[in-house]
Amino acid sequence: MDERFEMFTVLIAEIGRCIYRIKAEEMQEFALRGSHVNCLYYLYKRRELTAKELAGESGEDKANVSRAVKYLEDGGYLTCPDSAHKRYQSPLALTEKGKLVGERIAAKVDGILERASEGLTEEERAAMYRALGRICDNLRAICAGYEKDSEEKR
């Protein structure tokens, strides 16, 4: 396929734009943003995570997670019951308000995932995720090589 670069980059970029738009539209009723959605979703699914774990699970930037956690804590969606550790390493938990919104967000996410994968068999879906995972791993390795080259040039 001669158009692999175009197909890959255009499709990935369009998927990213669609996800961003869907998050923005679906979260208007809660007055939340995309990074808030990720935090609430992962905390709802996992019950308790540190901000560091949340960043890792969601793929969000650490600074975005820190801002989202602050916003959600101030808004009464989550709490940090154990302040004995450093703030970034303290476990976060949803409040009752956070659990209610998290449940609604999880239901919305599940519905959108179903709609997004309409027409795919389970085998096709599994193959797609395996292929995307492999591509992601390969691209991370390429990026790590750039970082190593950059450090050697210093």
Side-chain angles (χ1 to χ4, degrees):
M1 176 185 276
D2 290 343
E3 298 144 1
R4 280 181 24 193
F5 176 76
E6 293 90 346
M7 289 282 290
F8 182 76
T9 57
V10 169
L11 289 173
I12 294 295
E14 183 63 19
I15 289 169
R17 281 191 294 273
C18 287
I19 290 169
Y20 180 84
R21 175 130 190 243
I22 290 167
K23 281 182 180 180
E25 291 291 326
E26 293 291 334
M27 293 306 111
Q28 282 182 352
E29 73 177 276
F30 305 116
L32 298 172
R33 294 186 175 182
S35 58
H36 305 146
V37 172
N38 286 348
C39 289
L40 289 170
Y41 177 81
Y42 283 100
L43 281 168
Y44 178 76
K45 290 292 187 176
R46 309 288 191 276
R47 299 294 179 219
E48 192 175 270
L49 293 168
T50 65
K52 183 178 181 178
E53 292 168 332
L54 202 48
E57 292 264 336
S58 68
E60 286 280 341
D61 176 83
K62 291 177 185 179
N64 284 345
V65 169
S66 292
R67 285 189 294 274
V69 164
K70 173 87 172 102
Y71 179 88
L72 293 169
E73 194 171 24
D74 290 349
Y77 294 94
L78 62 85
T79 185
C80 182
D82 177 13
S83 58
H85 298 90
K86 289 184 179 178
R87 180 78 173 139
Y88 198 63
Q89 297 174 342
S90 297
L92 303 167
L94 294 176
T95 62
E96 287 306 312
K97 177 181 178 179
K99 289 176 187 173
L100 291 171
V101 173
E103 181 178 28
R104 291 179 61 199
I105 287 171
K108 283 180 179 274
V109 166
D110 291 344
I112 289 167
L113 286 174
E114 279 301 311
R115 288 179 58 198
S117 60
E118 283 177 2
L120 293 176
T121 65
E122 285 300 317
E123 294 80 22
E124 289 171 324
R125 189 181 338 202
M128 175 194 66
Y129 286 125
R130 273 194 314 276
L132 283 173
R134 172 71 54 94
I135 289 167
C136 188
D137 290 344
N138 293 341
L139 291 173
R140 281 187 188 126
I142 293 168
C143 289
Y146 292 148
E147 291 170 8
K148 181 181 175 193
D149 290 346
S150 177
E151 289 173 7
E152 288 175 358
K153 289 178 184 176
R154 289 184 204 169

